[in-house]
């Protein structure tokens, strides 16, 4: 039953992706974790193509494998079998350094727990990815200030990250994610630790990045409300994709309603 | 990753470390300070001893008891005393000898005008003034005639004269040495130390009188000032003494002739091995300090697992993380090295000031070897003991590190 459903979803999806170029293609990937010779399969043949510029929400309960999918998409983890193409390039067999370079150049991470360095200023946090890039120190200041202004935290630039509110921290994380101008923003439960108002601000920012800058946004969440910001919603359960559909009533900036 | 970035990262984490960073480098600081202190003090001591040897008259020969092979067994109370009056007289009449001063030494109390001082009694002749490079302040040194006639005459060293007679002239007065009355013929100028002994505490009496008073028949040494080339003078003096002692084979020599150069060589050998030994002991504290650094770096790596995960998610390669932590530990130890060097220099200066309270002539000397060794070692310690923690930091998996709380 489940297998049939997946085929249908994939076919329907293909009709949309043939026109646009896919930035991400997962072809029948599996992932096993090996711990003390005990093999635990986590993903059983996941197929997922994400066109450039799409806002896609990945949903699933904890233990479903959605975090593993996110780690693989973000080059934090490697697949066991299958094929992962990023921008048409096979990245399944990259070594650690190549994976690190892919992360730095192509992915902007936004995490549930913000993952800012404590006792470090907003400026230094946002600048961090640049020291692992080829951007010369003389050009950094301008880029960093620009991104901090973009998220509306110019007045907080010299504050320590731990002096900020949750919403502000997540905006710093977004500024940091944008600093190397990546094609893909990978947001893992970005509103999970925020109150509803701050959550909305963060989601609006992701929406704007998608609409105005054409960033591909991959949102991992377990909240339906948040997931509905996406053009497309993929549901994962027990290591397989159980549904993959376009979102007919996509949430926009204007139709905010108070979160419960 | 740029070097400037790495240094900036190190400064940042050092600031965050605060008191703990300071404590962790304490071992290195102490280790390097002691290495520099020890090497500098031995070097200053060596310069002092050499300056002592050289402050005496130049190109002196020291004719001593004991075979040449026993040179380094000083002081040897059991060395057979072989230098006789005959040796003195036969050398004395050589035209190539400018002066020859016999030397016999006794410790005794010197009394005058109710004042008592403990002095060093030297049985000698006027030649001693040339040998020690000292000058008469007042009066006339007792003559060779006084010696031949076994007269009770005495020349007082600068501080002895001052202690016994104050600012009054001592010349012509009587002093009591070992229960015998002596007439003062001269007093010497204050001259400081010669051969590590304060010659201002010396009193000089004729060598013959000394033998009478202290019941001796042999001399401790002769200090000879030749007016010909040194090696030639040594050969001639040896020939004369051998003839007197009826020695045909130089291997049977019961005397030896030392030069100031020989003395410097011995000092070099002794201080050289001493400072190596002491520096090695101090080096152990550097190793202990290094282990302290390794410990703190391991703790740091565990505490900063999350940070490592964040950095990796932002594109840091394994090598970047490795370099960051390695540079950090090198930075720590190098700062320790700089502080330790400054502390070592300060301690050396203080030590020299303290020594100067007891003995004049020491000069504040810094061992450049010590400083180079200290700074070089601290960097090496940072690399060696920072390697394992840095390796561990770099090998952290980004997923686990991000999950770490």
């Amino acid at each position: 039953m489940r297998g049939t459903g997946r085929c249908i979803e994939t076919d329907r999806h293909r009709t949309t992706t043939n026109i646009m170029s896919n930035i991400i293609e997962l072809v029948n990937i599996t992932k096993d974790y090996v711990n003390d010779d005990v093999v635990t399969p986590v993903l059983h043949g996941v197929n997922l193509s994400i066109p450039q510029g799409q806002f896609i929400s990945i949903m699933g309960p904890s233990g479903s494998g959605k975090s593993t999918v996110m780690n693989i998409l973000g080059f934090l983890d490697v697949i066991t079998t299958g094929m992962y193409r990023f921008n048409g390039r096979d990245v399944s067999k990259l070594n650690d350094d190549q994976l690190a370079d892919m992360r730095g150049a192509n992915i902007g991470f936004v995490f549930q727990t913000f993952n800012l360095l404590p006792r470090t200023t907003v400026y230094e946090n946002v600048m961090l990815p640049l020291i692992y890039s080829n951007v010369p120190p003389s050009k950094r200041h301008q880029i960093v200030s620009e991104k901090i202004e973009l998220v509306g935290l110019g007045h907080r630039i010299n504050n320590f990250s731990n002096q900020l509110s949750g919403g502000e921290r997540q905006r710093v994380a977004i500024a940091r994610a944008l600093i190397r101008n990546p094609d893909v923003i990978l947001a893992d439960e970005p509103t999970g630790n925020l109150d509803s108002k701050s959550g909305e601000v963060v989601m609006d920012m992701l929406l704007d990045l998608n609409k105005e800058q054409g960033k591909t946004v991959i949102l991992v969440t377990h909240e339906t409300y948040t997931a509905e910001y996406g053009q497309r919603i993929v549901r994962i359960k027990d290591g397989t994709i159980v549904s993959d559909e376009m979102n007919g009533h996509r949430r926009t900036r204007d139709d905010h309603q108070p979160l419960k | 990753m740029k070097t400037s970035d790495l240094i900036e990262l190190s400064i940042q984490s050092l600031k965050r470390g605060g008191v703990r960073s300071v404590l962790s480098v304490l071992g290195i600081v102490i280790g390097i300070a002691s290495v520099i202190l020890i090497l500098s003090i031995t070097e200053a001591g060596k310069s002092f001893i050499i300056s002592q040897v050289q402050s005496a008259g130049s190109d002196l020969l020291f004719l001593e008891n004991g075979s040449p092979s026993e040179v380094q067994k000083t002081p040897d109370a059991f060395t057979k005393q072989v230098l006789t009056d005959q040796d003195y007289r036969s050398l004395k009449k050589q035209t190539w000898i400018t002066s020859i001063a016999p030397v016999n030494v006794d410790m005794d109390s010197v009394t005058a005008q109710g004042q008592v001082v403990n002095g060093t009694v030297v049985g000698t002749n006027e030649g001693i003034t040339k040998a020690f490079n000292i000058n008469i302040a007042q009066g006339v040194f007792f003559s060779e005639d006084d010696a031949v006639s076994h007269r009770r005459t005495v020349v007082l060293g600068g501080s002895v004269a001052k202690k016994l007679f104050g600012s009054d002239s001592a010349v012509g007065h009587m002093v009591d040495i070992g229960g015998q009355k002596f007439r003062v013929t001269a007093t010497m100028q204050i001259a400081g130390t010669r051969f590590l002994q304060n010659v201002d505490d010396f009193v000089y009496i004729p060598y013959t009188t000394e033998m009478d008073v202290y019941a001796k028949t042999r001399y401790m040494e002769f200090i000879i000032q030749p007016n010909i080339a040194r090696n030639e003078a040594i050969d001639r003096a040896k020939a004369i003494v051998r003839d007197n002692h009826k020695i045909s084979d130089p291997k049977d020599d019961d005397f030896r002739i030392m030069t100031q150069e020989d003395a410097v060589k011995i000092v070099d050998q002794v201080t050289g091995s001493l400072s190596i030994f002491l520096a090695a002991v101090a080096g152990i504290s550097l190793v202990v300090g290094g282990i302290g650094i390794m410990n703190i770096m391991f703790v740091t790596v565990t505490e900063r697992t999350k940070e490592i995960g964040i950095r990796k998610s932002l594109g840091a390669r394994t090598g970047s993380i490795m370099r960051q932590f390695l540079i950090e530990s090198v930075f720590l130890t190098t700062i320790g090295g700089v502080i330790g060097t400054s502390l070592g220099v300060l301690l050396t200066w203080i030590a020299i000031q303290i020594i100067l309270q007891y003995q004049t002539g020491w000069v504040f000397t810094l061992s450049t070897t010590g400083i180079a060794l200290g700074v070089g070692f601290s960097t090496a310690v940072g690399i060696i003991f920072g390697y394992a923690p840095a390796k561990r930091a770099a090998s952290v998996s980004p997923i686990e590190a991000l999950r770490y709380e």
Side-chain angles (χ1 to χ4, degrees):
Chain A
M1 276 290 284
R2 195 196 285 157
T4 323
R6 190 172 70 233
C7 276
I8 294 164
E9 297 300 332
T10 312
D11 286 344
R12 187 204 294 176
H13 173 59
R14 227 164 245 156
T15 53
T16 50
T17 58
N18 280 344
I19 315 155
M20 310 165 86
S21 71
N22 287 329
I23 187 155
I24 284 171
E25 284 177 19
L26 296 184
V27 182
N28 202 25
I29 61 155
T30 66
K31 177 68 188 176
D32 302 332
Y33 285 113
V34 182
N35 207 345
D36 293 333
D37 292 333
V38 181
V39 179
T40 315
V42 179
L43 298 178
H44 322 267
V46 170
N47 290 287
L48 182 66
S49 295
I50 303 173
Q52 178 96 46
Q54 191 172 58
F55 193 135
I56 175 173
S57 299
I58 298 176
M59 294 192 70
S62 57
S64 61
K66 71 177 191 300
S67 294
T68 304
V69 170
M70 195 209 72
N71 287 338
I72 287 169
L73 291 177
F75 306 105
L76 290 168
D77 209 345
V78 289
I79 59 178
T80 305
T81 64
M83 162 94 86
Y84 176 13
R85 268 199 297 268
F86 188 93
N87 253 343
R89 177 185 177 198
D90 181 6
V91 291
S92 319
K93 299 285 179 277
L94 295 186
N95 65 30
D96 279 357
D97 282 350
Q98 289 168 320
L99 289 173
D101 291 347
M102 290 297 284
R103 280 197 288 276
N106 299 301
I107 308 288
F109 284 100
V110 179
F111 298 98
Q112 177 175 6
T113 52
F114 322 126
N115 284 347
L116 302 178
L117 294 186
R119 283 167 295 171
T120 304
T121 63
V122 168
Y123 182 87
E124 285 164 347
N125 264 294
V126 175
M127 215 247 315
L128 203 52
L130 292 185
I131 69 173
Y132 304 111
S133 74
N134 295 322
V135 178
S138 56
K139 290 189 180 163
R140 291 177 190 168
H141 182 77
Q142 199 207 331
I143 305 173
V144 174
S145 309
E146 213 171 84
K147 299 300 177 195
I148 294 174
E149 286 296 338
L150 185 76
V151 297
L153 287 174
H155 60 296
R156 294 294 224 173
I157 193 160
N158 289 317
N159 281 97
F160 284 124
S161 59
N162 41 314
Q163 295 170 327
L164 306 182
S165 70
E168 287 173 325
R169 288 185 204 193
Q170 198 59 297
R171 278 146 66 192
V172 174
I174 291 173
R176 184 181 66 185
L178 295 172
I179 196 78
R180 287 188 67 184
N181 200 22
D183 288 328
V184 177
I185 303 289
L186 202 47
D188 182 16
E189 304 273 13
T191 60
N193 279 4
L194 299 180
D195 61 82
S196 55
K197 193 157 186 310
S198 308
E200 261 163 24
V201 173
V202 165
M203 287 314 299
D204 286 345
M205 274 183 183
L206 293 178
L207 210 55
D208 288 349
L209 289 172
N210 173 245
K211 280 186 173 164
E212 286 158 24
Q213 299 192 24
K215 302 283 183 207
T216 305
V217 177
I218 303 170
L219 174 71
V220 177
T221 184
H222 65 276
E223 294 169 340
T224 313
Y225 180 87
T226 313
E228 283 172 352
Y229 278 88
Q231 296 163 302
R232 173 181 168 200
I233 298 175
V234 171
R235 288 190 169 76
I236 297 183
K237 200 180 168 190
D238 298 330
T240 44
I241 292 177
V242 291
S243 81
D244 181 353
E245 43 201 15
M246 298 311 284
N247 181 10
H249 37 278
R250 190 184 179 194
R251 209 168 288 286
T252 63
R253 222 180 197 302
D254 309 314
D255 59 10
H256 283 149
Q257 62 180 59
L259 292 168
K260 280 146 272 173
Chain B
M1 216 176 163
K2 294 182 176 57
T3 318
S4 58
D5 288 329
L6 283 168
I7 291 168
E8 198 160 314
L9 281 180
S10 300
I11 294 170
Q12 276 177 22
S13 71
L14 208 70
K15 277 195 210 148
R16 266 180 256 140
V19 177
R20 206 172 61 180
S21 308
V22 175
L23 287 178
S24 66
V25 298
L26 212 55
I28 300 284
V29 169
I30 292 169
I32 288 182
S34 25
V35 167
I36 287 175
L37 178 67
I38 286 165
L39 291 180
S40 296
I41 291 289
T42 42
E43 202 151 297
K46 193 171 97 182
S47 319
F48 171 70
I49 293 170
I50 288 171
S51 77
Q52 286 291 307
V53 171
Q54 286 166 346
S55 67
S58 56
D59 270 334
L60 298 174
L61 303 181
F62 300 83
L63 175 56
E64 301 173 346
N65 292 293
S67 75
S69 60
E70 291 171 338
V71 150
Q72 289 199 32
K73 292 191 198 161
T74 52
D76 188 350
F78 300 102
T79 300
K80 204 178 160 209
Q81 303 276 301
V82 293
L83 300 175
T84 62
D85 220 32
Q86 190 200 0
D87 293 327
Y88 173 64
R89 274 180 280 121
S90 44
L91 287 166
K92 172 90 180 155
K93 63 185 178 205
Q94 302 300 319
T95 52
W96 51 270
I97 288 178
T98 310
S99 76
I100 170 166
V103 177
N104 260 339
V105 175
D106 307 276
M107 304 303 291
D108 214 330
S109 58
V110 183
T111 317
Q113 300 189 338
Q115 302 287 319
V116 184
V117 294
N118 287 315
T120 304
V121 180
V122 182
T124 185
N125 65 16
E126 195 172 359
I128 200 76
T129 60
K130 290 195 183 97
F132 282 174
N133 200 14
I134 50 176
N135 297 309
I136 288 171
Q138 207 177 23
V140 181
F141 209 95
F142 54 76
S143 62
E144 189 67 22
D145 191 40
D146 280 6
V148 173
S149 312
H150 295 243
R151 285 196 188 112
R152 303 283 162 97
T153 45
V154 64
V155 173
L156 302 180
S159 15
V160 176
K162 195 158 192 292
K163 279 176 199 155
L164 295 181
F165 295 95
S167 50
D168 297 343
S169 169
V171 177
H173 284 87
M174 300 303 284
V175 297
D176 189 301
I177 303 168
Q180 313 276 335
K181 295 282 180 207
F182 285 77
R183 189 173 51 80
V184 179
T185 69
T187 56
M188 304 303 292
Q189 291 176 3
I190 295 286
T193 51
R194 296 290 185 277
F195 303 102
L196 305 178
Q197 298 188 58
N198 192 343
V199 295
D200 300 328
D201 290 336
F202 283 11
V203 297
Y204 308 92
I205 60 175
Y207 55 93
T208 50
T209 314
E210 193 270 350
M211 287 182 148
D212 296 342
V213 174
Y214 297 98
K216 290 187 191 168
T217 57
R218 299 284 194 271
Y219 294 100
M220 192 180 87
E221 69 173 345
F222 296 121
I223 305 177
I224 298 166
Q225 191 164 44
N227 53 34
I228 55 169
R230 191 174 58 195
N231 288 342
E232 176 65 20
I234 291 173
D235 288 345
R236 289 189 193 180
K238 277 183 178 170
I240 290 167
V241 179
R242 267 180 211 137
D243 193 42
N244 285 344
H245 294 193
K246 304 194 166 41
I247 292 164
S248 49
D249 188 350
K251 269 186 272 177
D252 298 332
D253 278 359
D254 52 4
F255 65 94
R256 61 182 176 236
I257 295 178
M258 301 279 291
T259 64
Q260 281 146 301
E261 235 165 69
D262 293 333
V264 169
K265 229 179 275 172
I266 292 171
V267 169
D268 255 346
Q269 280 173 4
V270 173
T271 56
S273 46
L274 187 69
S275 66
I276 287 171
F277 168 72
L278 291 175
V281 172
I284 292 171
S285 68
L286 273 181
V287 173
V288 175
I291 293 168
I293 292 282
M294 179 152 73
N295 183 40
I296 203 78
M297 288 309 291
F298 269 128
V299 172
T300 302
V301 167
T302 310
E303 278 178 355
R304 288 160 66 187
T305 303
K306 183 93 175 181
E307 175 193 329
I308 296 164
I310 293 171
R311 289 181 183 280
K312 285 197 167 178
S313 77
L314 300 176
R317 290 182 174 195
T318 307
S320 311
I321 303 288
M322 175 98 191
R323 272 200 300 281
Q324 180 189 340
F325 280 84
L326 202 54
I327 295 279
E328 211 165 281
S329 90
V330 170
F331 206 78
L332 264 180
T333 56
T334 305
I335 284 180
V338 170
I339 298 173
T341 303
S342 320
L343 186 67
V345 170
L346 182 71
L347 288 178
T348 305
W349 186 82
I350 292 172
I352 296 286
Q353 300 311 308
I354 293 170
I355 291 170
L356 280 174
Q357 301 295 311
Y358 298 95
Q359 197 166 43
T360 53
W362 284 67
V363 179
F364 175 59
T365 315
L366 283 178
S367 161
T368 42
T369 332
I371 291 173
L373 216 74
V375 174
F377 234 74
S378 64
T379 309
V381 163
I383 295 171
I384 294 164
F385 291 98
Y387 183 81
K391 184 116 182 137
R392 183 185 286 183
S395 64
V396 168
S397 132
I399 303 168
E400 277 163 38
L402 282 170
R403 226 180 275 146
Y404 187 88
E405 287 302 332

